[in-house]
Each structure stands twice: as C-alpha cells, then as structure tokens.
Amino acid sequence: KAGVTQTPRYLIKTRGQQVTLSCSPISGHRSVSWYQQTPGQGLQFLFEYFSETQRNKGNFPGRFSGRQFSNSRSEMNVSTLELGDSALYLCASSFRLAESQETQYFGPGTRLLVL
Amino acid sequence: QKEVEQDPGPLSVPEGAIVSLNCTYSNSAFQYFMWYRQYSRKGPELLMYTYSSGNKEDGRFTAQVDKSSKYISLFIRDSQPSDSATYLCAMSGVGNTPLVFGKGTRLSVIA
C-alpha cells in the first residue's frame, strides 16, 4: 500500500506571495491532518479534515487554510507569506473514526522557504 | 507551562547502550500516547502506540506510561547507529482531539 505523498517536496517563495501544498493520503484513509514543523516550535497542529469537513483547527492565523476533496486528497494554502512561515509542512493521514483515536501516518513533508 | 515537555538533547550514546527518552505532560485528559522517530529530511514514522497506562514492548523498544505522574518513557535496548534520529512523543485525548507533540529529542548512537 502506497504511503502518504506530498507535493511539491521543496518550494521557495517570497514574502507576500501565496502557496498551495498538496497531500494524497493512504488509500482508504479519510482523515488528513496538517502540521507545521520548525526548529523553535516543533510540530504544531494546523487543521484536520475528515470527509471533506474541517473537524479540528489549531491556533494559526486565517492566512492558513485548507480543504479536502471527495477522494480524500487535501490541499493547504498559505496567503500573504511571511518569513516566519518558512518550515516543513507535514501531512498525516489516518482511518479515523468518530470517537476513536487512530494512529497517524506522515508524509515526507514539503519544505517551504520564504525569502 | 507547555502541554507536553520533552528534553531536546542532543543525546549521544555509544553503540549497545540502553537509551531512555522521556516526556512529561500536564493535560490529564490525554489517553493515547505515541512515539515517533524522524530521520533527517523525512517525515515522522510511528514507533510505538499505547492506550492509557502500562508498558508495551516491541523488539528493542519499550514504551512506558505512568498517568499518575504524567510521565511517559521510551527505552531502546542495544542501541544501533541506525537509531540515530529525532524521537518525538505525541499524545491526545479521546474523541476527535488532535495530537500534541513534544519538540523531540535528538539522539546520536556512536559506533
């Protein structure tokens, strides 16, 4: 079974631009979560989508948004990029039911550098 | 106080040593506890998964959860250079609650 895939793997943008990152979960997984990883803050939760609906949201500004498609693929968008948005963006998928915790499987991440 | 505290290291040990990695947490609602390993330039991969208190063993790895002390541990026996990575603890409550991660401990096993 193929793992979680993320595209692109590397990205360089300048301040003020916007960016869209893509994530394809493991086949059959319906939950997709996004995380930002930086050396200073570690892994921080951005949001989770389940069956095309945002189910959880972390403490990030509205410039960070996401969506999930009917095939469970997900995209996240960051508008008006700031230098501090430089990070590794990780996507994780799980077959997550309503009231249970399922283990999450991570993709390789997209490394974003904002200049 | 952060919800999950983890010593960032770095931790350097000789090959064959027993490694102990730890996290403390403040949220008593946490019920699910995980350890992830992350190699440089890779995404985290799940190592161990434990529900509530107790021990779990998988090969050279043992995970322990002490909910009364809000303390979790990962032990690595007979450590190998291939174990050199960053180890992240993660935990969550029941229901649709997101994972909360520690910042990770960087481990180097020297041959």
Side-chain angles (χ1 to χ4, degrees):
Chain A
K1 192 183 263 193
V4 178
T5 57
Q6 292 187 246
T7 56
R9 293 292 312 278
Y10 303 93
L11 209 47
I12 300 176
K13 292 285 188 179
T14 55
R15 277 185 304 173
Q17 287 187 308
Q18 75 165 18
V19 66
T20 299
L21 312 181
S22 180
C23 171
S24 292
I26 293 171
S27 178
H29 284 192
R30 295 162 62 189
S31 167
V32 173
S33 297
W34 288 90
Y35 296 85
Q36 181 195 66
Q37 187 175 33
T38 59
Q41 298 299 318
L43 260 164
Q44 292 186 288
F45 173 75
L46 280 157
F47 27 67
E48 180 202 4
Y49 286 87
F50 182 86
S51 293
E52 301 179 66
T53 302
Q54 188 180 85
R55 192 157 66 174
N56 282 298
K57 189 178 189 308
N59 295 324
F60 277 81
R63 300 185 296 108
F64 292 82
S65 63
R67 59 178 175 168
Q68 186 180 33
F69 302 95
S70 58
N71 61 358
S72 293
R73 191 178 70 85
S74 178
E75 288 181 348
M76 68 162 280
N77 184 276
V78 188
S79 62
T80 320
L81 283 165
E82 300 176 0
L83 296 179
D85 297 333
S86 295
L88 180 66
Y89 289 88
L90 290 158
C91 166
S93 80
S94 67
F95 183 72
R96 191 161 176 187
L97 305 178
E99 293 300 322
S100 69
Q101 173 63 267
E102 294 287 340
T103 54
Q104 295 191 4
Y105 298 88
F106 284 83
T110 294
R111 189 163 295 277
L112 172 65
L113 177 62
V114 182
L115 301 175
Chain B
Q1 182 190 8
K2 287 190 73 74
E3 274 194 297
V4 179
E5 301 273 6
Q6 183 176 10
D7 187 337
L11 182 62
S12 185
V13 301
E15 183 176 357
I18 296 175
V19 176
S20 172
L21 304 166
N22 312 294
C23 288
T24 58
Y25 62 95
S26 57
N27 189 341
S28 57
F30 287 149
Q31 297 283 347
Y32 298 90
F33 304 92
M34 294 136 217
W35 286 95
Y36 285 83
R37 176 175 64 195
Q38 186 174 23
Y39 291 113
S40 181
R41 302 196 174 278
K42 302 277 189 181
E45 59 176 319
L46 181 68
L47 271 180
M48 303 285 287
Y49 173 91
T50 310
Y51 171 70
S52 196
S53 283
N55 294 0
K56 188 171 185 177
E57 189 173 319
D58 183 2
R60 296 186 294 112
F61 298 89
T62 299
Q64 288 185 351
V65 175
D66 181 350
K67 290 185 68 183
S68 62
S69 302
K70 295 190 178 69
Y71 187 88
I72 71 170
S73 301
L74 177 71
F75 297 95
I76 307 174
R77 290 184 298 280
D78 187 26
S79 56
Q80 302 296 310
S82 58
D83 295 327
S84 298
T86 296
Y87 290 80
L88 300 142
C89 64
M91 47 199 80
S92 74
V94 296
N96 305 324
T97 54
L99 288 178
V100 180
F101 282 83
K103 286 192 177 181
T105 299
R106 193 149 57 133
L107 170 68
S108 293
V109 181
I110 311 301

